[in-house]
Every structure is written in C-alpha cells, then in structure tokens.
Amino acid sequence: LAFCRGRIVRVPKGPLIRVVGTEVAIPCSVSDYDGPSEQNFDWEFSREADFVRIVSTWDSTFTSEEYQKRVGRGDIKLRRSSNDAVELVIRNIQPADQGRYKCSTPSTDATVQGNYDAEVQVKVISDGLSVSGSKARSSTSLRLSEGDSFKLRCSAITTSPEHTHLHVTWQVKSGSSWRDILSLTHEGKFQPGPGYEERYRSGDIRLDTGANDTYRLSVSQASSADGGAYRCLVSEWVRGADGSWQKIQEKSVEIATVSIQRTDVVISTSNVSVTERDSLDLTCNITTDRSGIFQAEVMWYFSASPDDALSDAQLLLSMDHDSVVSDSTLISLSHVDRNSYRLLVRDVDVEDSGYYFCEAAIWVPLHNGSWHKVVERTSAPVSVVVTALEPDYDVFLNASKTPKFSDDPTELNCRITNVQDTEANIRFSVSWYYRQHLPGDDVVAEELLASMDADWTLLPGDRGRERIQNGEIIFSKKSADTFSLRIQWTSESDRGDYFCVISAWSRHRNNSWVKSKDVTSASVNIFWATQDYTLTVEAVKLKPFFVAGHTFEMTCKVSSKNIKTPRYSVLITAEKPLTDQSNPNGTTRIISLNQDSVVRLEDWTDQTRVDGVVLEKVQENEFRYRMYQTQISDAGLYRCVVTAWSPGGGGMWREAVNGLSNPIQIDFQTSGPVFNVSVHSDSPTIYQGEVADLLCIVTTEGMPLEPDDMSFDVSWFAVRSFALDREPILLASLDRRGIVTQSRRNGSSDLSLERISPLEFRLRVHGCEDHDFGNHYCVVTPWVRSATGVWQREPDIKAKPIFLSVKMDVLNAFKYPLLIGIGLATVTGLLSCLIGYCSSRWCCKKEVQETRRERRRLMSMEMD
C-alpha cells in the first residue's frame, strides 16, 4: 500500500515514431508526490548505454556541452503545461536524435517511495510523403457561373517504412482563414466541414479517390459562397504502442482559385406611376455570364407590402423553361430577348397598385436530355402606383325652405354642377353633415347625419338615427344630379351649419364600386331669431263679497308673446291655512283643463260635493272657475296655473312656458264659537291584556250653540315611536252621522270608538299588546248649522298627543308556565316509581337453589 501511494513519473509508451525534419514534443508528468505543487524535471538522452544530459527546468548548468548550442538556439527547450507536467520540444528532429529519452524528477518527498524517472524510445524515420496538384501543375484559376459544377484533383503518396495512414482534407479560403469542406480521415471515413453537411448529404459535394493516389473534389450547384482559394491538406498518421493514432506530419498544396459569377434578376424600371385604364409595362432582366445552353423560368408576383414573403404574394403569370406561358386575359408575358422578359398589364385599375417582383430560375440540359435547375433568384420589389381617373365636378347647396319658427320645415338641396370627364361607369352619392354654430372662433367637429353608399343605400348617423327612423328627417334623390334633406319639424337644436359631400364612385373590372373622389359644398346656416316666451296670467274675483254657502266665482285671463298658435291648459290650486289637517303641505290641486279642453278633478275629495266645482273655457285666452255651496273649510288662496303649448312634430303638442296668476283669497268672517280639542287618559301606563281608555274632549269658547246645531267628525291616530318621527297610523274614525270606520289591524288588539257625550268621544283598545304603545291623538272636524239650515264645515283641529305605555305583568306571565311545569314533574315522578316497583316485583324475581354439602370430613384440593 505504501508503494501504491508513492511518486509516479509518466512518459508516453514507446516507441514514438517521428519524421525527420518535423517538430517533436515528448510529454512527461508526475503525480502522487509530496512537497511544493510545482515540480522540476530533468531530461537525458542515450543512443546506446550512457545517458547525456539535455535540459533541466531548475538547473541552467545541467545541459551537457553536446546540446548547449541547440538549447541556446531554442531548437531544444522545455515547455511547461502545468505545475506537474512539461514537454520536451525538439525542432527539426534528425536521425541522430533517435534513441532513449529519460525524464527525471528531483525528490521533494519526506520518504522515498515510487519511481522518480521514466524512459521512452523515439524512432526517427525518413520523409516519404509527397503532395501535388493535378498533373503536377501549379495553382490554376477557374471562372464559373452560379449554378455550375467543377472538380479539383490532388495527388498524395507516402513511401514511409512504417505502416502509416493518410488524412486528406479539402479546404477553401475566401477571407483570412481556411474552412474545411470535406475530409477523408485516416480511418477511412468521410467528414464534411461545418456548414457543408446538408450539401454533402444531397450529393452536391463529393470526394472521390482515383488511380495514381489522386483525390478528387466535386462541387455541384456552385454558389457565390464557393468562391475562393482551394487547397489539399494531407496529414500522415501512425498508430502508437498504446493503440492511439498520432499525427506525425502534415503537408498542403494550393490547387486552384475559383471565382463564381453571381446571377442577378433585376426589373428594368424603378418605381412606376400609371393612370387608371392605361397599360403597365415591366421588364425582368437576368444578368449572367453563362455562355452555354440554358433556359430561364420566369414568374411574376404581386404583393400589397414589400415585406411580404413569396408564399404570401399573388402569382400573376409564369413562363416555364419550355417557354409555356400560363393563361390570363388582361396580363401577358413575352420573351423580349435572351435574358429579358416583359410583363404587360392592360387596363390597369386602382386595385393594381402595389409591389411587383419577378422570380427567375436558370435551367441547363443534362447528358441524358433532361433539364436541371442550377440557380434561382428573386428581384427587388418595384412600387407601382395607379392614379385614379377623377371626374371633375362642383357641388352647390341651397335651402329651398327655411324655418322662421320652431317646428317649421327645413329643406336643403345638394346639386352636382359642371360635370366633366365622366364615364358611364361613374356614379354619385351624398353624405350630409351638421356642424353646430358657435360664436367666436370656437371649432366644433361636424356630425354625420346620414350617407349613401355606391348602391344609394341610406346609412343613418348617430345624431339623427331615431328621428330618421320615425320619419322626422327625410333624405331623397330628386334627380340624377340633386339630393335633398328635409326636416319635417325643425327644433332649436337643429340650428347650425349644414353641408353635403358628393362622392364619385368608379366601377372596377370585377364590377365592384370604389370611391374615387369627394367634393364638399359650402355650408348653409339654418337659424331664426328667437325671443323668450312670455306668459301673463291674471285672476279676477267676480263677486267681491259673499258668505258661506254662496257660489265662489273667478276668471283667469291669459296673454302670451313669441309663441306660435298657442293653446293653454289650466290648473286651479288652493293654498289652505296651516291649521287645515286635510292637506299638511298647504297646496291642493282642485281641478284642471288641458289644451284639448278635457276637464279632470285632481285632489278634490269631498264626495258630498263632487259636482261642486266647475272649470270652463270662456274664450281662447279666458277661463272661469266656479265653486258652489262654499264651506268655511274652503277658505284659502286660489290661483290659476297656466301652461302654454305650441304645435310639435307629428301632430303632438310641445310645452312652451308656464305661468302663475295672482292669488284670490276666500275668507269668511264668522262670529261662531271656537273649538278646542284635548286627549285624556286616567291610566296612560297599563299592563298587557288590559283595556286602554282614551278620551277625545271637545270644548267651545265664544257664542254657545245648541247640541243639535253641532256635529263632529272624529279620527284617532297613533305614532309608534317616542319622538313622533314616523308616519301616523289611522286607528278608527267616527263621522258626524255616527258611522264608525276601523282601519285594518296588524295585531290582535280590538278597538272600539263611541260617543259618550255631545262633546266627548272614547277610544278603547282591548287586550293591549306591546305593539299598541306610542303617541295617540285625535283629529276633530266640527260641523256647524247656520241660521239658514246649511251645515258648514269648520277647519280640522288636532289634539296634543298622549303617550300610551304597555308593560308586561311578570306574575301573570309566569303563573301558568310554572303550574304546568310542576304538574308535569309530579306526574313524571309518580310514573317512574310505579314502573320501578312493578319491574322489581314481577319481572326481576329469581329462585336460587343451593345444594347443601355435608362437612363431615376434609376433602382434597383436587376434589374441591
């Protein structure tokens, strides 16, 4: 184990066969050593017995006198490859250098273990390798065309006494470095160089061996990249004692210089501009120096973009190498001369604008009579612009009808004039635009009203789409050169500038229509002076003095300005005093008459006087209101609310302005009694299930009245909150005829309402529950009989609310649940006792019989 881990010095396994005159490098390395990482080496040489010192890495005086000159010249030197490896390099080795070489390493180990030197035998043989070009000629020059084929030959032979193999490589240099094309290795394998793999597999590049030790390179389908200097590089290899291949020498010879003439395809013209209906003439020129027999295949393509790939382009026309042209009606392809091909497109259209390019392929005949494609090129695209034939015409816009008021019609005519240079395949369409007219220099974008396409199909815009569909805006073509726009009822939002755009459409070869020109007319301003609508309403009371029970009569006279043929609708309103509880908002809508003279009762709710109010139209601007058998509760301010209407589109009426008349007051001077109302309860706090008694007490002040001359409507309300912030709920009501009306209840409590005296009314809530709490109050409407026997209604009187609180009786609430619980517990206990007794008496009884054993003597343990 100690020896296995000792120092090991290694050199190649010999003998090493080298060729005279070449450079030899003998490696030496050391491993498994102690001491510093960088080791020193000594080299010695022996022809027979004694070793002669050659060179050392650490001792400059180590070299013997025999080798001092060669070491000083650098013909022999040491080249360190790492800390533990060096190479002995001998340049221009000679037969005298044949012998044994020993590599030694001075010891740096703590103990001497392993080997400290190693020897290798070097054998020097004569140079028998000869490399030459074809027929021993020097380098030649070849000038070829793109797509041609060429062959190059070189000869390589060796007369070495050893068994060596040759490695032949063909190389080309087009710049500063040589590139491998194809090699025949010393192991007899073909190896293509980088970038030549595909051409080698397709057979375009071959390496063949021939007689007299020749090696032939064959190149087919030559391209411009194949140009350059070609040489034949031959190396000689020998198999070493360890079985590995070693290159012992290398020679090369330049064979030829090859230049490839590129084939170009060019369109003779650059960018082209032609006029519609003219002919497009393009020529594709093929530039080549090929002198032999060849034929060209030409294909013309069209593309909308110069960057489109060939697969995305449209094939227009093609001519194969047999001069057979594909069929086309308007496009022709002709062979002008040997290298020129002409494309002619007749009757060009705007759609023919784009990019044109041609693709050409060169075909050459083979020995068997077939044709072979040698090169293919595509020209740069040429831009072609086809200018459309634009007709010459003018557009004139005028207004045949202009509005003077709102809802008047508007009609505009757009006419085509001075038409020149038009053909039968030209037609016109129109587009209508609106632009809002603003003072100053403010710019407003125009809005499309509608447009027509080439088939005169109407396409509405966003602005007037709904009005166009409803027939309020009409577009028409009056004649071949006139288009019209009519607005049936012009509104103020239609005021502004209008203009039309006449579009010319041209028919293409495929019978499609393409817009070729737009001409815009001057704008026409639609505007009329408007003044603000004014409406004045005057109310007049016809009878200045009247008393309750008489008829109230008032008229409303209306005058207006700046309204075309107005009609009026009238609404009569009354503003009651705030003490009137029938309308807490203060204003009541009584009766109305619309612009078509239809009368309607609005908020008039007195069923006893349904026919007590009348509104009629006296004149076109005068209206009269009558109210029969007036009551004291009718006191208040009465007005006429008038709305002026003007005729709108489609027979409809449009609201113009509103007006309010001066108030007319109805005030009754009476000396009757004054009524007061209050609510009282002896027990405002009660328990659940009890009866709550609430009294509504009416008191009078002033002139006393007989009980038969007074009557009251009493209504009870409740607010289910502490702060009166909710809507009141009607509980029950009692009218002056003694009829009681109860509202729908959402609980289980019953109500009763009764009159217990001429001025006292009692509300009872039976079986009160939690939801019956809250503020309760009554509203009283007094009725007084006058001296003429007519009952007059007095204003409603609201009493101050009283809060009713409902509590829960704890004893009564828990009395029955406790009694029921105790009873059930008692029954359950007795039943359990009964079941236990019966079970122990009859079900679980067992007779136990035990055999008596006499104990006269002791028994053994086993028997027991």
Side-chain angles (χ1 to χ4, degrees), residues 369-593:
S370 63
W371 289 85
H372 174 64
K373 184 191 293 186
V374 294
V375 67
E376 189 175 52
R377 286 286 181 272
T378 304
S379 69
V382 171
S383 175
V384 175
V385 177
V386 179
T387 305
L389 287 173
E390 296 184 353
D392 188 13
Y393 59 93
D394 296 328
V395 179
F396 176 72
L397 178 65
N398 70 310
S400 58
K401 290 184 180 180
T402 57
K404 296 181 180 179
F405 294 96
S406 294
D407 301 322
D408 283 353
T410 300
E411 186 169 350
L412 303 175
N413 293 323
C414 185
R415 182 170 301 173
I416 307 171
T417 61
N418 302 327
V419 181
Q420 299 177 3
D421 299 333
T422 58
E423 303 176 4
N425 53 1
I426 297 292
R427 61 172 53 172
F428 298 97
S429 64
V430 67
S431 299
W432 291 94
Y433 290 89
Y434 164 81
R435 182 169 52 238
Q436 186 178 4
H437 181 70
L438 295 178
D441 298 331
D442 295 338
V443 178
V444 179
E446 60 268 8
E447 299 179 63
L448 176 65
L449 297 176
S451 63
M452 293 182 181
D453 59 9
D455 297 329
W456 298 306
T457 301
L458 185 65
L459 305 174
D462 294 334
R463 174 177 173 82
R465 186 183 304 274
E466 184 176 354
R467 297 177 67 187
I468 294 173
Q469 294 174 351
N470 295 335
E472 299 179 21
I473 301 178
I474 301 174
F475 300 90
S476 61
K477 183 180 181 182
K478 290 186 174 181
S479 61
D481 59 351
T482 304
F483 300 89
S484 69
L485 162 64
R486 179 180 177 86
I487 303 176
Q488 297 286 72
W489 302 282
T490 310
S491 63
E492 294 182 3
S493 61
D494 294 325
R495 294 187 298 183
D497 294 332
Y498 291 80
F499 63 93
C500 62
V501 177
I502 297 296
S503 302
W505 299 77
S506 303
R507 189 201 300 268
H508 283 195
R509 291 194 299 263
N510 58 0
N511 292 326
S512 64
W513 292 92
V514 176
K515 185 186 296 185
S516 58
K517 188 177 181 181
D518 287 333
V519 177
T520 304
S521 71
S523 61
V524 172
N525 181 252
I526 300 299
F527 182 79
W528 65 90
T530 60
Q531 297 179 358
D532 294 337
Y533 297 144
T534 59
L535 183 66
T536 303
V537 183
E538 181 183 5
V540 178
K541 183 166 60 172
L542 299 181
K543 296 180 180 180
F545 302 102
F546 69 96
V547 294
H550 289 186
T551 300
F552 169 73
E553 186 175 356
M554 62 180 284
T555 60
C556 296
K557 294 184 178 181
V558 184
S559 61
S560 62
K561 294 182 180 180
N562 304 322
I563 303 176
K564 179 183 177 182
T565 61
R567 284 191 182 182
Y568 306 103
S569 61
V570 181
L571 172 66
I572 304 299
T573 63
E575 297 179 12
K576 298 298 184 67
L578 295 179
T579 56
D580 188 357
Q581 299 298 323
S582 63
N583 187 7
N585 295 327
T587 302
T588 303
R589 298 159 53 93
I590 300 177
I591 192 172
S592 64
L593 183 145

Side-chain angles (χ1 to χ4, degrees), residues 30-81:
V30 63
S31 62
D32 298 333
Y33 58 87
D34 295 335
S37 60
E38 184 177 276
Q39 293 291 299
N40 291 309
F41 297 86
D42 297 332
W43 280 92
E44 298 175 279
F45 171 71
S46 172
R47 291 187 182 89
E48 294 180 356
D50 298 333
F51 281 92
V52 180
R53 293 177 294 179
I54 303 175
V55 69
S56 173
T57 58
W58 61 285
D59 187 2
S60 59
T61 62
F62 179 79
T63 306
S64 64
E65 183 178 356
E66 180 182 353
Y67 287 98
Q68 286 182 358
K69 290 183 179 181
R70 296 179 68 183
V71 172
R73 291 195 309 265
D75 293 340
I76 299 176
K77 62 181 179 180
L78 288 179
R79 184 167 58 202
R80 183 179 289 275
S81 56

Side-chain angles (χ1 to χ4, degrees), residues 232-389:
C232 180
L233 178 65
V234 181
S235 57
E236 190 173 8
W237 294 70
V238 66
R239 189 184 293 272
D242 57 354
S244 63
W245 287 96
Q246 301 174 6
K247 184 168 66 173
I248 58 176
Q249 69 168 328
E250 184 179 77
K251 291 182 180 181
S252 65
V253 59
E254 291 194 14
I255 304 301
T257 301
V258 179
S259 61
I260 306 298
Q261 180 66 29
R262 177 181 173 86
T263 300
D264 290 329
V265 177
V266 180
I267 299 178
S268 58
T269 58
S270 56
N271 296 339
V272 180
S273 178
V274 295
T275 306
E276 191 178 10
R277 311 302 179 193
D278 288 348
S279 297
L280 172 64
D281 191 352
L282 299 175
T283 302
C284 181
N285 294 323
I286 303 174
T287 303
T288 179
D289 60 351
R290 188 179 300 275
S291 57
I293 299 175
F294 70 92
Q295 291 289 345
E297 178 186 6
V298 178
M299 288 173 286
W300 280 93
Y301 289 91
F302 169 79
S303 176
S305 172
D307 299 328
D308 285 349
L310 191 64
S311 59
D312 299 331
Q314 176 188 356
L315 176 63
L316 299 177
L317 211 59
S318 64
M319 176 188 290
D320 62 10
H321 61 274
D322 294 327
S323 298
V324 178
V325 181
S326 58
D327 186 23
S328 179
T329 304
L330 298 175
I331 306 176
S332 62
L333 178 60
S334 58
H335 194 175
V336 180
D337 55 30
R338 179 176 173 82
N339 297 329
S340 299
Y341 298 84
R342 177 189 180 193
L343 175 70
L344 181 63
V345 182
R346 293 178 294 273
D347 193 18
V348 295
D349 206 340
V350 178
E351 294 180 347
D352 296 326
S353 298
Y355 295 88
Y356 292 75
F357 53 94
C358 68
E359 182 185 54
I362 303 298
W363 293 75
V364 296
L366 299 179
H367 300 293
N368 57 3
S370 63
W371 289 85
H372 174 64
K373 184 191 293 186
V374 294
V375 67
E376 189 175 52
R377 286 286 181 272
T378 304
S379 69
V382 171
S383 175
V384 175
V385 177
V386 179
T387 305
L389 287 173

Side-chain angles (χ1 to χ4, degrees), residues 181 416 666:
I181 301 175
I416 307 171
I666 296 179

Side-chain angles (χ1 to χ4, degrees), residues 85-104:
V86 296
E87 290 180 344
L88 174 64
V89 181
I90 303 174
R91 292 193 302 181
N92 192 16
I93 192 171
Q94 297 299 320
D97 295 326
Q98 178 173 300
R100 292 180 296 131
Y101 289 81
K102 181 172 66 174
C103 176
S104 304

